[in-house]
Amino acid sequence: MTTGKAYVAGVFDKVKAQNAHEPEFLQAVEEVFESLVPVFDKYPKYIEENLLERLVEPERIVSFRVPWVDDKGQVQINRGFRVQFSSAIGPYKGGLRFHPSVNQSIIKFLGFEQIFKNSLTGQPIGGGKGGSNFDPKGKSDNEIMRFCQSFMTELSKHIGADTDVPAGDIGVGGREIGYLYGQYKRLRNEYTGVLTGKGLNWGGSLARTEATGYGAVYFAEQMLKARGEDFAGKVALVSGSGNVAIYATEKLHALGAKVVAVSDSSGYVYDEDGIDVELLKDIKEVKRARIVEYANARPNAKFIPVGEGSIWDNKADLAFPCATQNELNADQAKALVANGVIAVSEGANMPSTLEAIDVFLKAGVSFGPAKAANAGGVAVSALEMAQNSQRTQWTFEEVDAKLYDIMKNIYENSAAAAKEFGAEGNLVVGANIAGFLKVADAMSSQGIV
């Protein structure tokens, strides 16, 4: 009889051969696969059904060109993607990313992660992801509108409230969601909950903006409780300065911690007095300026440009990588450990390399993997879908309470799965297994499809 280890290794060899040019996707797959060996030993029927190979192959990949006209009247061309990975437990659900780095490998890694993340929320949503190599930076509102309208003209053929419900991600905020939704409504002649992250006046949910950042903090709170600790007096580093970082910072301050550093692609700022969240919101959400403007406005804040130091070099108790994938490597993880970090909660998607995660786990640092710790955003997106279906809107407090409960349940289910399968305390293993089992059971029940 085939062992779990042999089965997983065989499938991974095939995945590597078929996707050799997709490093981000292979990294995400490897991280998950390593955790699942004991699952296949316990449930050999999943081997008989070749469930892992079925899961790792997307149900559908859509790739398309996006022509649009810039303000100079020049025709520009970008690539668009939508990977519909798994609909075993609900309609495809996952964000759209507009960034020059976007390619099929990145969209597939994000979509694969989304399967498990969405499963962990307990909501009936499958896994998908999409985006374009379009760069919103430096573009006028009219250019972004024309791009979004062209992008949605093609994407609208493949999505729907009961089929695939995209949301925002890097480069796709409220402005972009508005333009995308307006074009979808125009093309389909229907007012439906096909996108989440919508404006509050036209179907959006209160607390959706805050959800990913708040959720990462709520997850960290559970990790600290397990250590007999809380946020009071703790110093935190939060990478990034977009939506996730801003609201993680806001919630950390509300719960008694002090965030002393945030960053963007140009460098980071260190503010010994604690990051002024309202100033940060004004600079990044209103003015859309670089992080150096924060240092210019605060007397005790310092700006350290890229190449002259890392945000992770600073002494802190807590770390929240909330910027982008693979932003935190093994050397930086070692620096964090040396500087006293006791908990890391990932607000971005796969921000820590596999080697960095290994450093944290071996050092006894409480580590919240992205598919668990940053699930708050998609959890509230699912709550937005529910509100749209009911034609109602819940209060901020109602949504926030539901978000807290979801993040608490994700932690408890991940911790329980880790313990059950012989990896107590390892939330990476626990989250992967807990997320996988729900999807695997649904796939098995639905036959070989």
Side-chain angles (χ1 to χ4, degrees):
M1 189 170 92
T2 304
T3 65
K5 184 175 183 180
Y7 173 63
V8 170
V11 175
F12 188 54
D13 284 344
K14 190 170 183 178
V15 172
K16 285 190 292 184
Q18 292 179 335
N19 304 275
H21 59 296
E22 298 179 343
E24 294 87 359
F25 176 57
L26 291 177
Q27 179 184 340
V29 170
E30 182 178 6
E31 188 262 315
V32 171
F33 275 24
E34 287 180 352
S35 304
L36 298 181
V37 170
V39 174
F40 291 101
D41 286 329
K42 185 172 183 177
Y43 301 108
K45 73 169 185 173
Y46 293 151
I47 298 178
E48 296 167 12
E49 296 170 354
N50 199 9
L51 200 141
L52 194 57
E53 190 171 346
R54 290 160 54 198
L55 182 64
V56 81
E57 189 67 31
E59 293 176 13
R60 190 174 296 105
I61 300 177
V62 181
S63 177
F64 52 94
R65 75 176 178 213
V66 188
W68 58 282
V69 180
D70 66 21
D71 286 344
K72 297 178 182 177
Q74 299 296 310
V75 176
Q76 304 291 339
I77 305 295
N78 287 98
R79 287 182 174 178
F81 301 92
R82 188 67 181 173
V83 175
Q84 296 174 330
F85 230 114
S86 172
S87 59
I89 61 174
Y92 309 106
K93 185 82 191 79
L96 299 170
R97 176 176 293 193
F98 292 170
H99 191 273
S101 67
V102 166
N103 56 35
Q104 185 167 290
S105 174
I106 286 176
I107 296 301
K108 283 177 67 178
F109 117 64
L110 291 167
F112 186 67
E113 288 273 295
Q114 202 78 40
I115 299 170
F116 304 92
K117 184 191 306 184
N118 292 0
S119 173
L120 285 167
T121 68
Q123 306 298 301
I125 44 178
K129 205 74 179 185
S132 173
N133 60 353
F134 172 77
D135 188 359
K137 288 181 181 176
K139 304 293 194 302
S140 70
D141 285 352
N142 281 332
E143 287 176 320
I144 289 172
M145 180 180 69
R146 288 192 290 270
F147 172 82
C148 287
Q149 289 174 339
S150 180
F151 182 88
M152 181 52 78
T153 297
E154 179 62 30
L155 185 66
S156 65
K157 303 170 187 176
H158 310 286
I159 63 175
D162 298 312
T163 305
D164 185 350
V165 184
D169 193 75
I170 293 172
V172 179
R175 172 182 56 175
E176 290 77 16
I177 291 293
Y179 295 149
L180 290 164
Y181 190 75
Q183 183 71 353
Y184 181 88
K185 183 163 60 76
R186 182 185 186 191
L187 292 166
R188 299 288 287 264
N189 191 30
E190 60 183 27
Y191 207 106
T192 183
V194 72
L195 287 166
T196 56
K198 298 185 293 296
L200 294 177
N201 293 328
W202 43 281
S205 174
L206 290 160
R208 175 60 188 91
T209 301
E210 296 85 355
T212 310
Y214 278 22
V217 175
Y218 293 154
F219 193 89
E221 184 176 32
Q222 299 304 313
M223 293 195 294
L224 289 175
K225 282 183 178 179
R227 302 176 68 103
E229 303 261 8
D230 58 27
F231 285 118
K234 298 288 192 301
V235 173
L237 308 172
V238 179
S239 68
S241 51
N243 171 271
V244 182
I246 287 171
Y247 291 101
T249 300
E250 180 175 270
K251 182 54 68 173
L252 283 164
H253 286 177
L255 295 177
K258 181 169 74 170
V259 177
V260 294
V262 292
S263 65
D264 67 12
S265 58
S266 66
Y268 76 93
V269 292
Y270 185 91
D271 188 342
E272 63 184 26
D273 297 325
I275 295 296
D276 183 325
V277 178
E278 295 308 312
L279 175 61
L280 185 63
K281 287 181 184 177
D282 181 62
I283 290 169
K284 302 304 289 190
E285 295 186 330
V286 179
K287 297 176 180 174
R288 301 180 186 272
R290 307 307 286 159
I291 199 72
V292 68
E293 297 300 322
Y294 179 94
N296 293 339
R298 293 273 285 181
N300 293 326
K302 299 180 293 182
F303 172 67
I304 296 87
V306 168
E308 295 185 17
S310 164
I311 189 172
W312 310 120
D313 294 336
N314 297 284
K315 187 173 179 59
D317 305 293
L318 311 170
F320 290 78
C322 296
T324 191
Q325 68 266 10
N326 291 329
E327 60 168 293
L328 202 167
N329 61 33
D331 289 339
Q332 292 163 335
K334 290 174 184 175
L336 284 169
V337 171
N339 280 325
V341 159
I342 62 170
V344 177
S345 185
E346 294 190 316
N349 290 298
M350 202 171 75
S352 306
T353 66
L354 295 176
E355 295 78 14
I357 294 171
D358 191 52
V359 169
F360 291 134
L361 295 178
K362 287 180 177 177
V365 172
S366 296
F367 182 79
K371 62 175 62 69
N374 89 347
V378 75
V380 173
S381 281
L383 299 180
E384 181 177 327
M385 292 166 65
Q387 292 169 79
N388 290 167
S389 296
Q390 297 173 26
R391 297 290 193 268
T392 190
Q393 187 176 67
W394 300 329
T395 66
F396 186 100
E397 290 73 21
E398 286 176 309
V399 178
D400 192 34
K402 291 177 187 294
L403 170 62
Y404 183 89
D405 287 342
I406 288 170
M407 298 310 298
K408 183 172 181 287
N409 287 337
I410 291 174
Y411 173 82
E412 290 174 349
N413 291 337
S414 299
K419 184 177 181 179
E420 179 184 350
F421 286 89
E424 187 169 3
N426 187 329
L427 295 173
V428 175
V429 170
N432 287 337
I433 292 176
F436 172 79
L437 284 173
K438 180 179 178 181
V439 177
D441 181 62
M443 291 176 68
S444 182
S445 298
Q446 293 167 25
I448 308 301
V449 296

